[in-house]
Amino acid sequence: AKGESVAIVESDKADMDVEAFDEGILATIVVPEGGMTGVGNAIAYLVDQESEMEAAKAQAGSAPQAAAPAPAPAPEATSPAAATTEAAPAQTEAKAAAPAQAAVVSSPVVATAAAAPQPRADGRIIASPLAKVRAKELGVDLAIVGGSGPNGRITESDVERVAFGGTTGMASAVGLQEAQPMPVLPSSPTTTPPAATAPVSSIEQDPELPARGSVEKFTTLQAAVSKNMIASMEVPEFYVQTVISTDKLDEMYKALKPKGIAMSPLLAKAVGLALAKHPVMYASCPDGNSIKYNEHVNVAVAVAMPDGGLITPVLADADANDVTDLASSWKDLLGRARSKQLKPEEYSSGTFTISNLGMFGVDAFKPILPPGTAAIMSVGASKPTVVAGDDGSMKVEKQMTVGLAADHRIVYGAHAAEFLRDLKEIIENPVQLLV
């Protein structure tokens, strides 16, 4: 039916339901589950009547096909090997729904026995449209079904296994073992000893950790991060840092936390106010020969994803919006970021980035500049520190180290130092965050 979800497409930053554009009959599937295709290519064909199905299949068959994940090869006698697949984009005409971005291809890992389906690490339930329909027909709760598809996606066969086999398919642990060589039988009564068998570790591995010796192909998100990091290395960067007292900011945070205001919106607001005074710090160098001054102070905040990689939800117009609005936006963005439901403009429109590892106890670090921006700021942990006063007295105050990586083509040392000076003044006198 028109508007019915027919597939889930996984891009580098989001999972998207693809809906049927028209009513009709599903004649053939061009891109199999787990396959990869290019933007705008057909993934399936719909027809109006059954008599048109053969023509649609012929049309689909005459075009290059997207590659499907290759089955895992049988283990050799010596040791298992990892199988990888590469998917080629399909060049087909599209009447049916076309994905917004390329879908991911999983890489199966060979073990001595078939790996049992695993629940997703982030607890989300991702199921194919056919699996959802089949689960409803059979009365199966998808929450108890282990998915065998890419990234833990539940397939129709997973649902049927639970319905008819009585097992959820949830595995407690998956590990690799070395294949055992066949014993050698003596041809005559001799004292020849039997062949030695490979040792098997008796250590029980945490099921949340990757299997030892395994190889995992990048997810689309990890691949995108890798590509951006390589691009960042082509930009001449420099680093500066300063120490900021956080006593007053911490007091403000304790007072605002019961109202639902987190630390990230407070930091974003402080950064937004400082950036407004230094346009070059949220500019960009698009061609290596010019400076593009951006219209909006959009502060992106790096967030680690449960299944690898990171994403940068954007707090738009951080200089103009008040802390309450930023906190409300942040709560919404963070929830949808972790479930990969952000819109492209909600993670790709940042003009300055904050990376905060202070929550993990990290004192200081050098961030890597995202492509297309002038600077990124690192935030370390706030810790009690003994400080000497101007009069020689000693006191204890909480301090954090803030670092800055900047594009030296357009940002110079004085620019970075002046920005950090103003940011320090704002954070150490945070009442202006509420004005």
Side-chain angles (χ1 to χ4, degrees), residues 195-215:
T197 58
V200 178
S201 174
S202 60
I203 300 177
E204 183 176 352
Q205 184 173 341
D206 186 341
E208 296 296 324
L209 299 177
R212 296 184 181 184
S214 64
V215 176

Side-chain angles (χ1 to χ4, degrees), residues 51-114:
S51 59
E52 301 172 337
M53 292 183 67
E54 292 303 320
K57 291 179 181 179
Q59 183 179 1
S62 63
Q65 302 294 303
E76 298 178 358
T78 55
S79 62
T84 59
T85 60
E86 292 185 1
Q91 303 294 328
T92 60
E93 298 179 5
K95 173 186 176 184
Q101 298 190 32
V104 70
V105 178
S106 295
S107 296
V109 177
V110 180
T112 53

Side-chain angles (χ1 to χ4, degrees), residues 263-279 281-283 294-303 311-322 325-327 329-331 333-334 337 342 344-356 370 373-379 402 404 419 423 426-427 433:
M263 180 58 77
S264 291
L266 285 174
L267 287 175
K269 180 63 178 178
V271 168
L273 292 177
L275 286 173
K277 301 177 182 179
H278 305 277
M281 298 305 298
Y282 61 99
N294 290 302
E295 182 178 353
H296 298 281
V297 179
N298 293 341
V299 177
V301 183
V303 174
I311 195 168
T312 52
V314 176
L315 289 169
D317 298 314
D319 60 326
N321 289 320
D322 62 38
D325 290 338
L326 292 175
S329 297
W330 178 247
K331 183 177 180 180
L333 290 168
L334 187 61
L342 290 180
E345 64 270 19
E346 292 176 324
Y347 60 76
S348 61
S349 60
T351 54
F352 185 93
T353 304
I354 298 175
S355 181
N356 185 357
T373 60
I376 178 175
M377 187 180 83
S378 64
V379 180
V402 171
L404 197 71
F419 166 76
L423 177 65
I426 292 171
I427 291 178
L433 299 179

